[in-house]
Amino acid sequence: EAGTFLLAAAATGGVRGFAHITGGGLVENIPRALLDGLTAVLDADAWPLPPVFGWLAKKGAIAPLELARTFNCGIGMAVIAADEKADAVERTLRDAGEIVFRIGAVTEAADAGDPPAVHLNNMEDAWPP
């Protein structure tokens, strides 16, 4: 049944949030699962960009940041896990048959009052036009 793997991950006690990556892509959806003063720093080299997104980028002259703002870029669900429980959460998801990539980390923003944000590193190299 759909979503069972998310319940299993949550049962580990290590999940701090989930972000379903739909319209708004990585840049707009992940912040919805973060508190103010937190930033998700993602590494575009951490997962393979599905070929369809490379094709879209090339045919539509879409810059990497715009891809991340518009599409999920191959990440359908982001799971935010506590550092000390990340291995258990990952193992649970893999045991449920899910493909898992560790795509980044949550850090404190420069200013504690900053709204949640996403920063993507290595996009230009990982997602060439």
Side-chain angles (χ1 to χ4, degrees), residues 41-123:
V41 180
L42 308 183
D43 182 358
D45 276 331
W47 76 96
L49 184 71
V52 68
F53 296 111
W55 179 85
L56 281 169
K58 185 175 181 177
K59 292 294 183 183
I62 302 171
L65 184 56
E66 192 58 31
L67 275 180
R69 275 184 226 258
T70 307
F71 302 106
N72 71 19
C73 298
I75 303 298
M77 179 69 68
V79 179
I80 296 107
D83 282 343
E84 68 276 4
K85 296 279 190 160
D87 289 337
V89 171
E90 181 177 352
R91 188 171 39 257
T92 299
L93 290 168
R94 287 188 192 279
D95 288 351
E98 296 302 314
I99 298 169
V100 179
F101 300 104
R102 289 199 186 192
I103 63 172
V106 175
T107 63
E108 291 185 19
D111 183 337
D114 285 350
V118 169
H119 296 284
L120 280 125
N121 296 328
N122 303 310
M123 284 186 301

Coordinates of all heavy atoms in Angstrom, one line a residue, residues 41-123:
V41 N 20.7 22.1 2.8 CA 21.8 22.2 1.8 C 21.9 20.9 1.1 O 22.3 19.9 1.7 CB 23.2 22.6 2.5 CG1 24.3 22.7 1.5 CG2 23.0 23.9 3.4
L42 N 21.6 21.0 -0.2 CA 21.5 19.7 -1.0 C 22.7 19.7 -1.9 O 23.2 20.8 -2.4 CB 20.3 19.7 -1.8 CG 18.9 19.9 -1.1 CD1 17.8 19.7 -2.0 CD2 18.8 18.9 0.1
D43 N 23.2 18.5 -2.3 CA 24.3 18.3 -3.2 C 23.7 17.6 -4.4 O 23.3 16.4 -4.4 CB 25.4 17.5 -2.6 CG 26.6 17.2 -3.5 OD1 26.5 17.7 -4.6 OD2 27.5 16.6 -3.0
A44 N 23.6 18.3 -5.6 CA 23.1 17.8 -6.8 C 23.9 16.6 -7.3 O 23.4 15.8 -8.1 CB 23.0 18.8 -7.9
D45 N 25.1 16.4 -6.9 CA 25.9 15.2 -7.2 C 25.5 14.0 -6.5 O 26.0 12.9 -6.8 CB 27.4 15.5 -6.9 CG 28.1 16.2 -8.1 OD1 27.7 16.1 -9.2 OD2 29.1 16.9 -7.8
A46 N 24.6 14.1 -5.5 CA 24.3 13.0 -4.6 C 23.3 12.0 -5.2 O 23.1 10.9 -4.7 CB 23.8 13.5 -3.3
W47 N 22.7 12.4 -6.3 CA 21.7 11.5 -7.0 C 21.8 11.7 -8.5 O 22.1 12.8 -8.9 CB 20.3 11.6 -6.4 CG 19.6 12.9 -6.9 CD1 18.7 12.9 -7.9 CD2 19.6 14.2 -6.3 NE1 18.2 14.2 -8.0 CE2 18.8 15.0 -7.1 CE3 20.3 14.8 -5.3 CZ2 18.6 16.3 -6.8 CZ3 20.2 16.1 -5.0 CH2 19.3 16.9 -5.8
P48 N 21.5 10.7 -9.3 CA 21.5 10.9 -10.7 C 20.2 11.6 -11.2 O 19.1 11.3 -10.8 CB 21.5 9.4 -11.3 CG 20.8 8.6 -10.2 CD 21.2 9.3 -8.9
L49 N 20.4 12.6 -12.0 CA 19.3 13.3 -12.6 C 18.7 12.4 -13.7 O 19.4 12.0 -14.6 CB 19.8 14.7 -13.2 CG 18.7 15.6 -13.8 CD1 17.8 16.2 -12.7 CD2 19.3 16.7 -14.6
P50 N 17.4 12.1 -13.6 CA 16.8 11.2 -14.6 C 16.9 11.9 -16.0 O 16.8 13.1 -16.1 CB 15.4 11.1 -14.1 CG 15.4 11.3 -12.6 CD 16.5 12.3 -12.4
P51 N 17.2 11.1 -17.0 CA 17.4 11.6 -18.4 C 16.3 12.5 -18.8 O 16.6 13.5 -19.6 CB 17.5 10.3 -19.2 CG 17.9 9.3 -18.3 CD 17.3 9.6 -16.9
V52 N 15.1 12.3 -18.4 CA 14.0 13.2 -18.9 C 14.2 14.7 -18.5 O 13.9 15.6 -19.3 CB 12.6 12.7 -18.4 CG1 12.4 12.9 -16.9 CG2 11.5 13.5 -19.2
F53 N 14.8 14.9 -17.4 CA 15.1 16.3 -16.9 C 16.2 16.9 -17.7 O 16.2 18.1 -18.0 CB 15.3 16.3 -15.4 CG 14.1 15.9 -14.6 CD1 14.1 14.7 -13.9 CD2 13.0 16.7 -14.6 CE1 13.0 14.3 -13.2 CE2 11.8 16.3 -13.9 CZ 11.9 15.1 -13.2
G54 N 17.2 16.1 -18.0 CA 18.3 16.6 -18.9 C 17.8 17.0 -20.3 O 18.1 18.0 -20.8
W55 N 16.9 16.1 -20.8 CA 16.2 16.4 -22.1 C 15.4 17.7 -22.0 O 15.5 18.6 -22.9 CB 15.4 15.2 -22.5 CG 14.7 15.4 -23.8 CD1 15.2 15.2 -25.0 CD2 13.3 15.9 -24.0 NE1 14.2 15.5 -26.0 CE2 13.1 15.9 -25.4 CE3 12.3 16.3 -23.1 CZ2 11.9 16.4 -25.9 CZ3 11.1 16.7 -23.6 CH2 10.9 16.8 -25.0
L56 N 14.6 17.8 -20.9 CA 13.8 19.0 -20.8 C 14.7 20.3 -20.7 O 14.4 21.3 -21.3 CB 13.0 18.9 -19.5 CG 11.7 18.1 -19.6 CD1 11.1 17.9 -18.2 CD2 10.7 18.8 -20.5
A57 N 15.8 20.2 -19.9 CA 16.7 21.3 -19.7 C 17.3 21.7 -21.1 O 17.3 22.9 -21.4 CB 17.8 20.9 -18.7
K58 N 17.7 20.7 -21.9 CA 18.3 21.0 -23.1 C 17.3 21.6 -24.1 O 17.5 22.7 -24.7 CB 18.9 19.8 -23.7 CG 19.7 20.0 -25.0 CD 20.4 18.8 -25.4 CE 21.2 19.1 -26.7 NZ 22.0 17.9 -27.1
K59 N 16.2 20.9 -24.3 CA 15.2 21.4 -25.3 C 14.5 22.7 -24.9 O 14.1 23.5 -25.7 CB 14.1 20.3 -25.4 CG 14.6 19.0 -26.1 CD 15.0 19.3 -27.5 CE 15.4 18.1 -28.2 NZ 15.9 18.3 -29.6
G60 N 14.3 22.9 -23.6 CA 13.6 24.1 -23.1 C 14.6 25.2 -22.7 O 14.1 26.2 -22.2
A61 N 15.9 25.0 -22.8 CA 16.9 25.9 -22.3 C 16.6 26.3 -20.9 O 16.5 27.5 -20.5 CB 17.0 27.2 -23.2
I62 N 16.4 25.3 -20.0 CA 16.0 25.5 -18.6 C 17.3 25.4 -17.8 O 18.0 24.4 -17.8 CB 15.0 24.5 -18.1 CG1 13.7 24.5 -19.0 CG2 14.7 24.7 -16.7 CD1 12.8 23.4 -18.7
A63 N 17.6 26.5 -17.1 CA 18.8 26.5 -16.2 C 18.6 25.5 -15.0 O 17.5 25.3 -14.6 CB 19.0 27.9 -15.7
P64 N 19.7 25.0 -14.5 CA 19.6 24.1 -13.3 C 18.8 24.6 -12.2 O 17.9 23.8 -11.6 CB 21.1 23.9 -12.9 CG 21.8 24.1 -14.2 CD 21.1 25.2 -14.9
L65 N 18.9 25.8 -11.8 CA 18.1 26.3 -10.6 C 16.6 26.3 -11.0 O 15.8 26.0 -10.1 CB 18.6 27.7 -10.2 CG 17.8 28.3 -9.0 CD1 18.0 27.3 -7.8 CD2 18.4 29.6 -8.6
E66 N 16.3 26.6 -12.2 CA 14.9 26.6 -12.6 C 14.3 25.2 -12.6 O 13.2 25.0 -12.3 CB 14.7 27.3 -14.0 CG 13.3 27.6 -14.3 CD 12.5 28.4 -13.3 OE1 13.1 29.3 -12.7 OE2 11.3 28.2 -13.2
L67 N 15.2 24.2 -13.0 CA 14.8 22.8 -12.9 C 14.4 22.5 -11.5 O 13.4 21.8 -11.2 CB 15.9 21.9 -13.4 CG 16.1 21.6 -14.8 CD1 17.3 20.6 -15.0 CD2 14.9 21.0 -15.5
A68 N 15.2 22.9 -10.5 CA 15.0 22.6 -9.1 C 13.8 23.3 -8.6 O 13.2 22.9 -7.6 CB 16.2 22.9 -8.3
R69 N 13.4 24.4 -9.2 CA 12.3 25.2 -8.7 C 11.0 24.6 -9.3 O 9.9 24.9 -8.8 CB 12.4 26.7 -9.2 CG 13.1 27.6 -8.3 CD 13.0 29.0 -9.0 NE 14.3 29.6 -9.0 CZ 14.7 30.5 -8.1 NH1 13.9 30.9 -7.2 NH2 15.9 31.0 -8.2
T70 N 11.1 23.9 -10.4 CA 9.9 23.5 -11.1 C 9.6 22.0 -11.0 O 8.4 21.6 -10.9 CB 10.0 23.9 -12.6 OG1 10.4 25.3 -12.7 CG2 8.8 23.6 -13.4
F71 N 10.6 21.2 -11.0 CA 10.5 19.8 -11.1 C 11.1 19.1 -9.8 O 11.9 19.7 -9.1 CB 11.2 19.2 -12.3 CG 10.6 19.8 -13.6 CD1 11.4 20.7 -14.3 CD2 9.4 19.5 -14.1 CE1 10.9 21.3 -15.5 CE2 8.9 20.0 -15.2 CZ 9.6 20.9 -15.9
N72 N 10.8 17.8 -9.6 CA 11.3 17.1 -8.5 C 12.8 16.6 -8.8 O 13.4 16.2 -7.9 CB 10.4 16.0 -8.0 CG 10.4 14.8 -9.0 OD1 11.2 14.6 -9.8 ND2 9.3 14.0 -8.8
C73 N 13.2 16.6 -10.0 CA 14.5 16.3 -10.5 C 14.9 14.8 -10.0 O 16.1 14.5 -9.7 CB 15.6 17.3 -10.0 SG 15.3 18.9 -10.7
G74 N 13.9 14.0 -9.9 CA 14.1 12.6 -9.5 C 14.0 12.3 -8.0 O 14.1 11.1 -7.6
I75 N 13.7 13.3 -7.2 CA 13.4 13.1 -5.8 C 11.9 13.3 -5.5 O 11.5 14.4 -5.5 CB 14.3 14.1 -4.9 CG1 15.8 13.9 -5.2 CG2 14.0 13.9 -3.5 CD1 16.4 12.6 -4.9
G76 N 11.2 12.2 -5.4 CA 9.8 12.3 -5.2 C 9.4 12.6 -3.7 O 8.3 13.2 -3.5
M77 N 10.2 12.2 -2.8 CA 9.9 12.4 -1.4 C 11.2 12.7 -0.7 O 12.2 12.0 -0.8 CB 9.2 11.2 -0.8 CG 8.9 11.3 0.7 SD 7.6 12.5 1.1 CE 6.2 11.7 0.4
A78 N 11.3 13.8 0.1 CA 12.4 14.1 0.9 C 12.1 13.7 2.4 O 11.0 14.1 2.8 CB 12.8 15.5 0.8
V79 N 12.9 13.0 3.0 CA 12.7 12.6 4.4 C 13.8 13.3 5.2 O 15.0 13.2 5.0 CB 12.8 11.1 4.6 CG1 12.7 10.7 6.1 CG2 11.8 10.4 3.8
I80 N 13.4 14.2 6.1 CA 14.3 14.9 7.0 C 14.5 14.0 8.3 O 13.5 13.8 9.0 CB 13.9 16.3 7.3 CG1 13.8 17.1 6.0 CG2 14.8 17.0 8.3 CD1 12.4 17.4 5.5
A81 N 15.7 13.6 8.5 CA 15.9 12.6 9.6 C 17.0 13.2 10.6 O 17.9 13.9 10.2 CB 16.4 11.3 9.1
A82 N 16.8 12.9 11.9 CA 17.8 13.3 12.9 C 19.1 12.5 12.6 O 19.1 11.4 12.1 CB 17.3 12.8 14.3
D83 N 20.2 13.2 12.8 CA 21.5 12.7 12.5 C 21.7 11.3 13.1 O 22.1 10.4 12.4 CB 22.7 13.6 13.0 CG 22.9 14.8 12.1 OD1 22.5 14.8 10.9 OD2 23.6 15.7 12.5
E84 N 21.4 11.2 14.3 CA 21.7 9.9 15.1 C 20.7 8.8 14.6 O 21.0 7.6 15.0 CB 21.6 10.1 16.6 CG 20.2 10.4 17.1 CD 19.8 11.9 17.0 OE1 20.5 12.7 16.4 OE2 18.7 12.2 17.5
K85 N 19.7 9.1 13.9 CA 18.7 8.0 13.5 C 18.7 7.9 11.9 O 18.0 7.1 11.4 CB 17.3 8.4 13.9 CG 17.1 8.4 15.4 CD 17.0 7.0 16.0 CE 16.5 7.1 17.4 NZ 15.9 5.9 17.8
A86 N 19.5 8.6 11.2 CA 19.5 8.6 9.8 C 19.8 7.2 9.2 O 19.1 6.8 8.2 CB 20.5 9.6 9.2
D87 N 20.7 6.5 9.8 CA 21.0 5.1 9.3 C 19.8 4.2 9.4 O 19.5 3.5 8.5 CB 22.2 4.5 10.0 CG 23.5 5.2 9.6 OD1 23.6 5.8 8.5 OD2 24.5 5.1 10.4
A88 N 19.1 4.3 10.6 CA 18.0 3.5 10.8 C 16.8 3.8 9.9 O 16.1 3.0 9.3 CB 17.5 3.6 12.3
V89 N 16.6 5.1 9.6 CA 15.6 5.6 8.7 C 15.9 5.1 7.3 O 15.1 4.5 6.6 CB 15.4 7.1 8.7 CG1 14.5 7.6 7.6 CG2 14.9 7.6 10.1
E90 N 17.2 5.2 6.9 CA 17.6 4.8 5.6 C 17.4 3.3 5.4 O 16.8 2.8 4.4 CB 19.0 5.1 5.3 CG 19.5 4.7 3.9 CD 20.9 5.1 3.6 OE1 21.5 5.9 4.3 OE2 21.4 4.7 2.5
R91 N 17.8 2.5 6.4 CA 17.7 1.0 6.4 C 16.2 0.6 6.2 O 15.9 -0.3 5.5 CB 18.3 0.4 7.6 CG 18.5 -1.1 7.6 CD 19.3 -1.6 8.8 NE 19.1 -0.9 10.0 CZ 20.0 0.0 10.6 NH1 21.1 0.3 9.9 NH2 19.7 0.6 11.7
T92 N 15.4 1.3 7.0 CA 13.9 1.0 7.0 C 13.3 1.2 5.6 O 12.6 0.4 5.1 CB 13.2 1.8 8.0 OG1 13.7 1.4 9.3 CG2 11.7 1.5 8.0
L93 N 13.7 2.3 5.0 CA 13.2 2.7 3.6 C 13.7 1.7 2.6 O 13.0 1.2 1.7 CB 13.6 4.1 3.3 CG 12.9 5.2 4.1 CD1 13.6 6.5 3.8 CD2 11.4 5.2 3.7
R94 N 15.0 1.3 2.7 CA 15.6 0.3 1.8 C 14.9 -1.0 1.9 O 14.6 -1.7 1.0 CB 17.1 0.2 1.9 CG 17.8 1.4 1.4 CD 19.4 1.2 1.4 NE 20.1 2.4 1.2 CZ 20.3 2.9 0.0 NH1 19.9 2.3 -1.1 NH2 21.0 4.1 -0.2
D95 N 14.7 -1.4 3.2 CA 14.1 -2.7 3.5 C 12.6 -2.8 2.9 O 12.1 -3.8 2.6 CB 14.0 -3.0 5.0 CG 15.4 -3.3 5.6 OD1 16.3 -3.5 4.8 OD2 15.5 -3.4 6.8
A96 N 12.0 -1.6 2.8 CA 10.7 -1.5 2.2 C 10.7 -1.4 0.7 O 9.7 -1.3 0.0 CB 9.9 -0.3 2.7
G97 N 11.9 -1.5 0.1 CA 12.1 -1.5 -1.4 C 12.3 -0.2 -2.0 O 12.3 0.0 -3.2
E98 N 12.5 0.9 -1.2 CA 12.6 2.2 -1.7 C 14.1 2.5 -2.1 O 15.0 1.9 -1.6 CB 12.2 3.3 -0.7 CG 10.8 3.2 -0.4 CD 9.9 3.4 -1.6 OE1 10.1 4.3 -2.4 OE2 8.9 2.6 -1.7
I99 N 14.3 3.3 -3.1 CA 15.6 3.8 -3.5 C 15.9 5.0 -2.7 O 15.1 5.9 -2.7 CB 15.7 4.1 -5.0 CG1 15.4 2.8 -5.8 CG2 17.0 4.7 -5.4 CD1 15.1 3.1 -7.3
V100 N 17.0 5.0 -2.0 CA 17.4 6.1 -1.1 C 18.7 6.8 -1.5 O 19.7 6.1 -1.7 CB 17.5 5.5 0.4 CG1 17.8 6.7 1.3 CG2 16.2 4.9 0.8
F101 N 18.7 8.1 -1.5 CA 19.9 8.9 -1.7 C 20.0 9.8 -0.5 O 19.0 10.5 -0.2 CB 19.8 9.7 -3.0 CG 19.7 8.8 -4.2 CD1 18.4 8.8 -4.9 CD2 20.7 8.2 -4.8 CE1 18.3 8.0 -6.0 CE2 20.6 7.4 -5.9 CZ 19.4 7.3 -6.6
R102 N 21.1 10.0 0.0 CA 21.3 11.0 1.0 C 21.8 12.3 0.2 O 22.9 12.3 -0.3 CB 22.4 10.6 2.0 CG 21.9 9.6 3.0 CD 22.7 9.5 4.2 NE 22.3 8.4 5.0 CZ 22.7 8.2 6.2 NH1 23.5 9.0 6.8 NH2 22.3 7.1 6.9
I103 N 20.8 13.2 0.1 CA 21.0 14.3 -0.8 C 21.5 15.6 -0.1 O 21.8 16.6 -0.8 CB 19.8 14.6 -1.6 CG1 18.6 15.0 -0.7 CG2 19.4 13.4 -2.4 CD1 17.4 15.5 -1.5
G104 N 21.6 15.6 1.2 CA 22.1 16.8 1.9 C 21.9 16.8 3.4 O 21.7 15.7 3.9
A105 N 21.9 18.0 3.9 CA 21.8 18.1 5.4 C 21.1 19.4 5.7 O 21.0 20.3 5.0 CB 23.2 18.1 6.0
V106 N 20.5 19.4 6.9 CA 19.8 20.6 7.4 C 20.8 21.3 8.4 O 21.4 20.7 9.2 CB 18.5 20.2 8.2 CG1 17.9 21.4 8.8 CG2 17.5 19.5 7.2
T107 N 20.9 22.6 8.1 CA 21.9 23.4 8.9 C 21.1 24.6 9.5 O 20.0 24.9 9.0 CB 23.1 23.8 8.1 OG1 22.6 24.7 7.1 CG2 23.8 22.7 7.6
E108 N 21.7 25.3 10.4 CA 21.2 26.6 10.9 C 21.4 27.6 9.8 O 22.5 27.7 9.2 CB 21.8 27.0 12.2 CG 21.4 26.0 13.3 CD 22.0 26.5 14.7 OE1 22.4 27.7 14.8 OE2 22.0 25.7 15.6
A109 N 20.4 28.5 9.6 CA 20.5 29.6 8.7 C 21.5 30.7 9.3 O 21.8 30.6 10.5 CB 19.2 30.2 8.5
A110 N 21.9 31.6 8.5 CA 22.8 32.6 8.9 C 22.2 33.4 10.1 O 22.9 33.9 11.0 CB 23.2 33.5 7.8
D111 N 20.9 33.6 10.0 CA 20.1 34.4 11.0 C 19.0 33.5 11.5 O 18.3 32.9 10.7 CB 19.6 35.7 10.4 CG 18.8 36.5 11.4 OD1 18.4 36.0 12.5 OD2 18.7 37.7 11.1
A112 N 18.9 33.3 12.8 CA 17.9 32.4 13.4 C 16.5 32.8 13.0 O 15.6 31.9 13.0 CB 18.0 32.4 14.9
G113 N 16.2 34.0 12.6 CA 14.9 34.4 12.2 C 14.6 34.2 10.7 O 13.5 34.5 10.2
D114 N 15.6 33.8 9.9 CA 15.4 33.6 8.5 C 14.4 32.5 8.2 O 14.3 31.5 8.9 CB 16.7 33.1 7.8 CG 17.7 34.3 7.7 OD1 17.4 35.4 7.9 OD2 18.9 34.0 7.3
P115 N 13.6 32.7 7.2 CA 12.6 31.6 6.8 C 13.4 30.4 6.3 O 14.5 30.5 5.8 CB 11.8 32.3 5.7 CG 12.6 33.4 5.2 CD 13.5 33.8 6.3
P116 N 12.7 29.2 6.4 CA 13.4 28.0 5.9 C 13.7 28.2 4.4 O 13.0 28.9 3.6 CB 12.3 26.9 6.0 CG 11.4 27.5 7.0 CD 11.4 29.0 6.9
A117 N 14.8 27.6 4.0 CA 15.3 27.7 2.6 C 16.0 26.4 2.2 O 16.3 25.5 3.0 CB 16.3 28.9 2.5
V118 N 16.3 26.4 0.8 CA 17.0 25.3 0.3 C 18.2 25.9 -0.6 O 17.9 26.8 -1.3 CB 16.2 24.4 -0.7 CG1 17.0 23.4 -1.5 CG2 15.2 23.6 0.1
H119 N 19.4 25.4 -0.4 CA 20.5 25.7 -1.2 C 21.0 24.5 -1.9 O 21.2 23.5 -1.3 CB 21.6 26.3 -0.4 CG 21.2 27.6 0.3 ND1 21.1 28.8 -0.3 CD2 20.9 27.8 1.6 CE1 20.8 29.7 0.5 NE2 20.6 29.2 1.7
L120 N 21.2 24.6 -3.2 CA 21.6 23.5 -4.0 C 23.1 23.7 -4.5 O 23.3 24.7 -5.1 CB 20.7 23.2 -5.2 CG 19.5 22.5 -4.9 CD1 18.3 23.3 -5.3 CD2 19.5 21.2 -5.5
N121 N 24.0 22.8 -4.1 CA 25.3 22.9 -4.5 C 25.6 21.9 -5.7 O 24.9 20.9 -5.8 CB 26.3 22.5 -3.4 CG 26.2 23.4 -2.2 OD1 26.0 24.6 -2.4 ND2 26.4 22.9 -1.0
N122 N 26.6 22.3 -6.5 CA 27.0 21.5 -7.6 C 26.1 21.3 -8.8 O 26.2 20.3 -9.5 CB 27.5 20.1 -7.1 CG 28.6 20.3 -6.1 OD1 29.6 21.0 -6.3 ND2 28.5 19.6 -5.0
M123 N 25.0 22.1 -8.9 CA 24.0 21.9 -9.9 C 24.7 22.1 -11.3 O 24.4 21.3 -12.2 CB 22.9 23.0 -9.8 CG 21.9 22.6 -8.7 SD 20.6 23.8 -8.8 CE 21.4 25.4 -8.6

